[in-house]
Amino acid sequence: MMWNILKRLTAWQKPIGLAGVLLGLTLVAGAGAVYVQASDHDDGETDIKGRNLNLTDLYVFRERDQNPNAAAGNLVFIMNTNPRSLARQQYYFSTRAQYEFKVTQVADVDDAPTGVADVTLRFQFQPPDQNNQQTFTVTALKNGQTFTGQGQTTPITNTPEVNTVSLGGTNLKVFAGLREDPFFFDVEQYFRVRAGALDIGPAVGFRDPSTAVDFAAGYNVNAIAVQVPISFLQGSSQASTFDVWETISVPAAGGKFNQVERLARPAINEGLIVTNDLLNTLNSVGPDFEAAALAGQQPAANAAAPIVNEATQTLLAIGNSDDRADALLGAFLPDVMRIDTTGPSGYANALNAQGSPVRGRLLKDDVVDITLSVLTNGTITTDNVSYDGTPGNPAQGHQPLVPAFPYLAPPN
């Protein structure tokens, strides 16, 4: 595993280094017009945002890379919400919110993300019935057309109920309900490590594998999993690469919806942004705003400046040079989960010319180790936790994934 990470890191560092000068020029021209946004669990707390309005992670992969027996030609999207849901406790999706996957068709794997969605899959939930099930409506917005279908959630005590939803003549499989949180990270110790690096706490390192704590172990999340044919996402295009991100929006004045959460790549905003107000700002905008900021367009560039500064200071504090910090921000932004469907899925299995990961994310990918290695320039390579856990350490370890869609382990 470590060898694979090192190989990925080596591959990652090369394009960043080559692209660094160009990215640095872009950043100077854009007057620091970049900022970071990605995975969370607990970012952007507010007094009125419930946990079922909090995203935790996004997974995007070719189904055959998770299940060799699956039919070719399908992608799986998984949106997890409601972090730290307790074992044997039934939790529900918000009945006010719109949960959305947004997808852009990408002509070339090296193209800069536009952050403009070509396809949107929207989920809205009704109140639970006496069986603890919620009826949900799936709406696909695609090429100026709207298609809808319905399904039902799975209660915590039941086996997964996989709904077949027909949208415009294409069948999608959909699961919605509680599953074990597959994410793993000694996040508690990370915040101590980061505080030490920023000189706002004692200098410490990560804990030994025998004592490291996986903060997500034993908890559940509310998951929305979709099996979607690539042909459905292509429409009339020939795209084989897609940018994916997820959002949650709630009702606002005038019949509109305000976006309160956004997420694509894992463990970036939690790792680099310290100020809660800045995290909330990131959650309210889209990757199209980031694209405008990168291009130096106003008002995006000025609005992004404080966030860029904070992310840069964190990157410098954990051992990066100015040029490398700029290159990293350029590689991770705009924040989308890009998947090139012509090769095997896996976070950082392949990088494009900007040094951005382009093969989506599988459920057991050790995204924290990969991200730590990259962001610290190899100074920190692991937090010493894994999906399967360290033998003899009860504070780590997850249940085995199931062999068929939706693949997530049963709820605790």
Side-chain angles (χ1 to χ4, degrees):
M1 180 64 183
M2 183 57 66
W3 174 241
N4 287 337
I5 292 171
L6 291 172
K7 285 197 295 185
R8 290 172 182 170
L9 177 59
T10 302
W12 202 318
Q13 288 172 322
K14 288 178 180 176
I16 287 175
L18 291 171
V21 175
L22 293 176
L23 289 166
L25 290 173
T26 300
L27 292 164
V28 170
V34 292
Y35 62 89
V36 174
Q37 147 72 6
S39 178
D40 31 78
H41 269 76
D42 294 295
D43 79 310
E45 293 292 321
T46 74
D47 289 343
I48 59 171
K49 189 167 76 175
R51 286 195 292 121
N52 61 5
L53 298 178
N54 264 286
L55 295 164
T56 69
D57 286 278
L58 170 66
Y59 301 85
V60 179
F61 52 87
R62 298 191 313 186
E63 188 171 24
R64 267 202 168 174
D65 295 321
Q66 182 66 40
N67 175 10
N69 297 319
N74 293 322
L75 295 183
V76 174
F77 297 164
I78 296 177
M79 173 194 301
N80 288 340
T81 67
N82 212 44
R84 292 172 284 106
S85 296
L86 298 172
R88 298 294 89 190
Q89 177 66 37
Q90 179 69 56
Y91 295 86
Y92 302 102
F93 293 93
S94 169
T95 57
R96 304 186 298 130
Q98 293 179 341
Y99 299 84
E100 294 182 325
F101 294 102
K102 297 185 176 180
V103 184
T104 300
Q105 300 151 354
V106 180
D108 188 287
V109 72
D110 292 328
D111 286 351
T114 65
V116 178
D118 295 306
V119 180
T120 297
L121 294 175
R122 175 180 299 157
F123 295 80
Q124 293 173 283
F125 293 83
Q126 298 298 313
D129 62 18
Q130 67 276 15
N131 297 318
N132 293 321
Q133 288 185 286
Q134 293 178 270
T135 297
F136 61 81
T137 299
V138 188
T139 303
L141 307 173
K142 175 185 171 188
N143 300 330
Q145 295 181 292
T146 301
F147 309 102
T148 61
Q150 288 195 322
Q152 283 202 310
T153 63
T154 299
I156 189 170
T157 55
N158 288 23
T159 55
E161 182 170 331
V162 176
N163 303 269
T164 298
V165 179
S166 180
L167 298 174
T170 299
N171 288 337
L172 279 66
K173 288 184 179 179
V174 180
F175 165 85
L178 286 159
R179 298 285 98 182
E180 184 180 76
D181 188 348
F183 188 57
F184 47 97
F185 186 17
D186 190 347
V187 69
E188 175 189 333
Q189 192 65 10
Y190 173 76
F191 283 120
R192 292 195 180 100
V193 173
R194 187 182 69 173
L198 293 170
D199 204 24
I200 54 176
V204 297
F206 278 101
R207 293 181 272 218
D208 184 84
S210 63
T211 57
V213 176
D214 176 3
F215 91 111
Y219 286 117
N220 299 325
V221 287
N222 268 331
I224 301 173
V226 185
Q227 179 208 72
V228 54
I230 293 172
S231 58
F232 181 82
L233 302 174
Q234 288 174 317
S236 59
S237 78
Q238 298 297 313
S240 58
T241 298
F242 303 92
D243 288 338
V244 186
W245 66 100
E246 57 188 11
T247 63
I248 298 176
S249 302
V250 296
K256 298 181 178 179
F257 279 76
N258 279 347
Q259 182 180 305
V260 295
E261 279 278 289
R262 175 173 66 99
L263 177 62
R265 294 191 182 100
I268 297 298
N269 61 343
E270 266 188 335
L272 299 181
I273 303 300
V274 179
T275 304
N276 194 58
D277 285 348
L278 299 183
L279 290 167
N280 282 324
T281 299
L282 290 173
N283 281 326
S284 68
V285 298
D288 56 334
F289 186 83
E290 294 169 335
L294 279 167
Q297 298 173 7
Q298 300 293 355
N302 282 347
I307 303 171
V308 175
N309 181 60
E310 188 161 292
T312 301
Q313 292 308 310
T314 303
L315 285 168
L316 296 176
I318 57 179
N320 292 285
S321 65
D322 287 335
D323 286 347
R324 194 166 192 281
D326 287 347
L328 287 169
L329 294 176
F332 283 105
L333 296 175
D335 182 36
V336 296
M337 184 73 76
R338 177 160 289 188
I339 181 163
D340 170 7
T341 64
T342 63
S345 300
Y347 198 62
N349 265 5
L351 308 173
N352 67 6
Q354 289 75 40
S356 304
V358 294
R359 291 282 173 80
R361 176 187 180 185
L362 288 162
L363 288 166
K364 295 176 73 170
D365 283 346
D366 199 334
V367 295
V368 169
D369 280 4
I370 296 168
T371 303
L372 282 173
S373 297
V374 172
L375 295 185
T376 66
N377 200 13
T379 301
I380 301 173
T381 57
T382 181
D383 64 340
N384 291 317
V385 300
S386 63
Y387 184 91
D388 296 319
T390 300
N393 181 352
Q396 294 187 31
H398 293 249
Q399 301 181 74
L401 299 174
V402 299
F405 181 84
Y407 302 109
L408 295 156
N412 294 286

